[in-house]
């Protein structure tokens, strides 16, 4: 299947004249896909398209909705055009506009929005790329005459770096043939610039906008985040493929000495590598390079040696706060040491707190894990569930935790914390009282498939609740028992505990 679907459309849609004398309607915009999205992926896209509408008071499903036949996998956009002309006559979907996903990496490259008529009612057809989250509100504004197509196109057209003609735009930044972006004239107040190497399917401007702290208050020359090159992945490699990830990390490592020669203010040993076209789902990699000689006469050789080294990396959220600031800068600034292999092998367990009568979140952590206060970000043994969550398209929601709520939401929470290394997907802890030193804590377990990547919020909450068990244990023994029990090391445990871990 082509990575560049045919997006050509006819210049006019004469049949749209039938709507010129009809009253305005507020039907939902139809959503289509030219690529193979699962039902869950399509629903995630629909949620994203409606994000702005829901935030302004619209009900879910009333602004954007998959068409009755939403999939035109491998077909040209013209096939959707022909189908939508007929669908529009049925009086259930907006006839003049539709939305189409034309790549699986729609978060990075946007979607296509199509107009089958123009503001002058001359049945002119037009389309452009746009961020998915802007589509629903755009159609709603067009429907009520709050804006025009030309205004929306001028304000929202999204440069996705997708077209083949655009592939050469950044050749001076890609591969060994270029020496990278222009070097800054002075160092950053941070003390260095953050080197970022990105998947070729991503836009450098978008990545910078997503990761740069307080970007709205800065001019480009003050940005700390500096994209150094686009990396070329294997076209057939799935997300999180180990060999593909390693190959991209090696590409970045090989280039880094050359980039540092041009910009001596780049951090020498800590880099970010975005190894997928969907970093919102799969995150990015913090990579630690071993010391290398920046004064060497042959920096190509330095890069080759780095690429041949087994390089340590940690997957973190693709986020300014949770990924760049909390994790990367903490390590790059030397505020914490890179986690040891032993620390990274230790299990982390989900913790749900309730019935503690206003105790601060993470109550009981120091009792269960005496070293909790000294652990660096990424080394925690307990991952506490928050008291409120932000559901896509629904804003902030409070959660009334209980044992049943914890058991139900456990797979969902594992997905929400999918970047926590070693998070155990079989067992959890309930801190269910304000005197756990006396009453102990509740260990819980739930059987499910443990897959956390590429799944939607709704899918995780809709999994069957099976194999649920619980047992009460002293708080100080909780982590030790969980660590042994998950490995099947139950010798010396009580009958109740052996049954729980069986």
């Amino acid at each position: 299947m082509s990575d560049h679907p045919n997006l050509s459309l006819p210049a006019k849609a004469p049949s749209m004249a039938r709507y010129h004398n009809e009253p305005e309607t507020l039907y939902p915009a139809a959503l289509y896909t030219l690529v193979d999205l699962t039902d869950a992926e399509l629903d995630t896209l629909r949620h994203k398209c409606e994000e702005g509408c829901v935030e302004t008071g619209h009900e879910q499903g009333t602004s954007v909705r998959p068409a009755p036949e939403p999939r035109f996998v491998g077909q040209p956009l013209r096939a959707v055009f022909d189908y939508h002309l007929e669908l529009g006559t049925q009086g259930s979907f907006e006839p003049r506009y539709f939305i189409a996903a034309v790549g699986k990496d729609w978060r990075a490259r946007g979607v296509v929005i199509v107009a089958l008529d123009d503001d002058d009612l001359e049945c002119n057809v037009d389309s452009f790329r746009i961020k998915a989250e802007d589509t629903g509100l755009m159609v709603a504004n067009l429907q009520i005459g709050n804006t025009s197509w030309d205004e929306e196109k001028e304000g929202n057209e999204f440069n996705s770096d997708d077209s083949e003609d655009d592939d050469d735009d950044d050749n001076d930044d890609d591969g060994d043939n270029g020496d990278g972006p222009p070097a800054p004239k002075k160092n950053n107040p941070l003390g260095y610039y953050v080197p970022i190497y990105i998947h070729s399917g991503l836009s450098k401007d978008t990545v910078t906008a997503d990761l740069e702290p307080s970007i709205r208050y800065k001019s480009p020359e003050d940005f700390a985040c500096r994209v150094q090159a686009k990396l070329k992945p294997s076209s057939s490699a799935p997300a999180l493929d180990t060999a593909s990830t390693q190959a991209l990390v090696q590409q970045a490592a090989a280039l880094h000495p050359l980039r540092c020669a041009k910009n001596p203010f780049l951090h020498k040993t800590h880099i970010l590598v975005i190894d997928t076209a969907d970093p919102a789902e799969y995150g990015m990699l913090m990579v630690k390079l071993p010391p290398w000689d920046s004064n060497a006469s042959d920096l190509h050789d330095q890069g080759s040696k780095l690429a041949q080294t087994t390089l340590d990396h940690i997957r973190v959220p693709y986020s300014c706060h949770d990924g760049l600031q909390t994790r990367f800068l903490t390590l790059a600034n030397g505020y914490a040491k890179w986690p040891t292999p032993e620390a990274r092998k230790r299990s982390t367990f989900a913790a749900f707190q309730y019935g503690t009568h206003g105790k601060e979140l993470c109550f009981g952590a120091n009792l269960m894990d005496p070293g909790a206060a000294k652990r660096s970000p990424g080394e925690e043994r307990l991952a506490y569930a928050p008291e409120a969550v932000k559901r896509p398209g629904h804003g902030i929601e409070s959660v009334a935790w209980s044992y049943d709520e914890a058991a139900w939401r456990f797979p969902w929470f594992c997905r929400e914390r999918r970047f926590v290394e070693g998070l155990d997907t079989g067992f959890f802890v309930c801190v269910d009282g304000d005197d756990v030193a006396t009453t102990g804590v509740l260990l819980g377990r739930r059987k499910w498939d443990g897959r956390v990547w590429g799944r939607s919020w709704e899918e995780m909450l809709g999994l069957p609740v099976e194999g649920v068990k619980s047992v009460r244990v002293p708080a100080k023994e909780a982590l030790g028992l969980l660590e042994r029990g998950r490995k099947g090391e139950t010798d010396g445990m009580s009958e109740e505990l052996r049954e729980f871990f069986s």
Side-chain angles (χ1 to χ4, degrees):
M1 190 182 302
S2 173
D3 292 333
H4 299 281
N6 185 346
L7 304 182
S8 61
L9 292 170
K12 287 184 175 289
S15 64
M16 294 302 293
R18 74 176 68 190
Y19 303 106
H20 289 174
N21 296 320
E22 292 188 6
E24 296 289 337
T25 62
L26 298 178
Y27 294 131
L31 177 62
Y32 301 93
T33 178
L34 302 187
V35 292
D36 189 13
L37 300 181
T38 65
D39 289 344
E41 290 170 332
L42 188 62
D43 192 53
T44 297
L45 174 56
R46 192 264 306 170
H47 271 288
K48 196 66 175 176
C49 290
E50 286 198 303
E51 193 172 89
C53 298
V54 172
E55 290 176 355
T56 58
H58 293 245
E59 291 292 328
Q60 284 282 353
T62 60
S63 302
V64 179
R65 187 183 302 164
E69 296 291 337
R71 291 179 170 81
F72 290 77
V73 179
Q75 300 183 53
L77 190 60
R78 173 63 187 263
V80 179
F81 172 90
D82 293 337
Y83 172 84
H84 191 78
L85 287 176
E86 176 61 30
L87 178 65
T89 66
Q90 299 176 16
S92 55
F93 283 86
E94 165 58 53
R96 294 161 297 177
Y97 312 106
F98 67 82
I99 303 161
V102 298
K104 297 201 73 166
D105 51 350
W106 54 264
R107 289 182 177 87
R109 295 189 175 187
V111 296
V112 171
I113 189 163
V114 177
L116 305 183
D117 203 354
D118 61 298
D119 297 329
D120 296 324
L121 302 182
E122 294 180 353
C123 303
N124 290 317
V125 176
D126 196 13
S127 65
F128 65 89
R129 277 191 187 263
I130 181 174
K131 292 182 180 179
E133 56 264 37
D134 295 332
T135 55
L137 198 57
M138 171 182 165
V139 171
N141 282 323
L142 288 167
Q143 287 175 327
I144 62 176
N146 196 38
T147 187
S148 70
W149 175 265
D150 289 340
E151 289 172 338
E152 290 291 340
K153 185 173 182 178
E154 182 178 356
N156 290 317
E157 188 166 16
F158 180 47
N159 178 15
S160 68
D161 291 338
D162 183 53
S163 69
E164 294 184 30
D165 292 338
D166 289 343
D167 285 347
D168 294 331
D169 289 350
D170 301 316
N171 276 350
D172 60 338
D173 292 356
D174 296 343
D176 293 325
N177 295 326
D179 60 355
K185 296 179 180 180
K186 59 181 180 179
N187 203 349
N188 188 272
L190 183 63
Y192 57 87
Y193 289 92
V194 178
I196 307 176
Y197 298 84
I198 68 175
H199 188 283
S200 61
L202 298 176
S203 159
K204 289 180 286 186
D205 289 344
T206 299
V207 170
T208 301
D210 289 340
L211 296 182
E212 179 67 32
S214 305
I215 189 169
R216 69 180 62 183
Y217 305 111
K218 297 178 180 178
S219 57
E221 60 268 22
D222 295 325
F223 292 170
C225 295
R226 299 294 172 112
V227 175
Q228 297 300 304
K230 287 189 173 185
L231 308 174
K232 303 183 186 305
S234 168
S235 59
S236 59
L240 304 187
D241 176 74
T242 301
S244 177
T245 293
Q246 187 62 30
L248 293 182
V249 170
Q250 289 172 339
Q251 286 182 42
L255 286 173
H256 194 56
L258 300 173
R259 296 301 190 255
C260 290
K262 183 171 184 178
N263 178 0
F265 305 121
L266 289 174
H267 202 293
K268 300 298 188 295
T269 58
H270 288 71
I271 66 176
L272 285 174
V273 175
I274 304 177
D275 63 324
T276 79
D278 188 3
E281 173 63 26
Y282 299 107
M284 58 187 179
L285 301 174
M286 301 190 301
V287 181
K288 183 182 179 184
L289 304 178
W292 54 275
D293 185 2
S294 60
N295 296 315
S297 58
D298 189 347
L299 293 178
H300 282 281
D301 181 62
Q302 290 290 305
S304 296
K305 290 178 179 178
L306 288 176
Q308 294 169 16
T309 305
T310 299
L311 299 172
D312 209 2
H313 59 263
I314 300 173
R315 191 169 296 278
V316 297
Y318 175 73
S319 158
C320 174
H321 180 267
D322 295 336
L324 178 79
Q325 294 176 307
T326 301
R327 301 300 307 278
F328 181 86
L329 297 185
T330 297
L331 294 173
N333 290 341
Y335 299 147
K337 294 182 179 179
W338 191 272
T340 64
E342 293 73 21
R344 296 180 67 182
K345 289 179 182 178
R346 285 196 292 260
S347 296
T348 300
F349 297 95
F352 302 93
Q353 179 180 332
Y354 53 90
T356 56
H357 301 97
K359 298 285 188 183
E360 186 176 356
L361 187 64
C362 297
F363 170 69
N366 289 325
L367 190 62
M368 290 184 281
D369 175 22
K374 298 180 180 179
R375 299 193 187 281
S376 300
E379 295 185 348
E380 299 88 347
R381 301 294 311 283
L382 292 161
Y384 274 71
E387 298 169 337
V389 299
K390 188 178 188 303
R391 183 176 182 181
H394 289 77
I396 302 295
E397 296 181 357
S398 296
V399 180
W401 289 111
S402 65
Y403 175 71
D404 289 340
E405 189 80 12
W408 173 52
R409 287 184 180 265
F410 178 51
W412 161 84
F413 182 68
C414 290
R415 171 177 160 68
E416 291 295 292
R417 294 294 187 271
R418 61 192 180 277
F419 297 104
V420 176
E421 285 192 312
L423 182 64
D424 191 280
T425 58
F427 300 93
F428 57 91
V429 182
C430 289
V431 181
D432 60 347
D434 55 11
D435 187 15
V436 292
T438 301
T439 62
V441 296
L442 199 63
L443 304 187
R445 74 175 301 177
R446 176 180 164 182
K447 293 184 177 179
W448 60 293
D449 59 28
R451 293 187 297 108
V452 298
W453 301 101
R455 305 179 81 171
S456 69
W457 178 299
E458 289 75 13
E459 182 181 1
M460 302 308 282
L461 292 180
L463 294 173
V465 182
E466 299 174 336
V468 178
K469 297 179 181 179
S470 66
V471 63
R472 187 165 295 280
V473 300
K476 290 183 177 181
E477 300 177 19
L479 291 183
L481 290 170
L482 285 171
E483 196 65 66
R484 290 173 53 204
R486 64 183 295 274
K487 299 175 184 177
E489 300 172 358
T490 58
D491 289 349
M493 292 187 185
S494 67
E495 185 65 30
E496 186 180 23
L497 281 169
R498 286 199 299 272
E499 195 282 329
F500 173 75
F501 287 116
S502 65

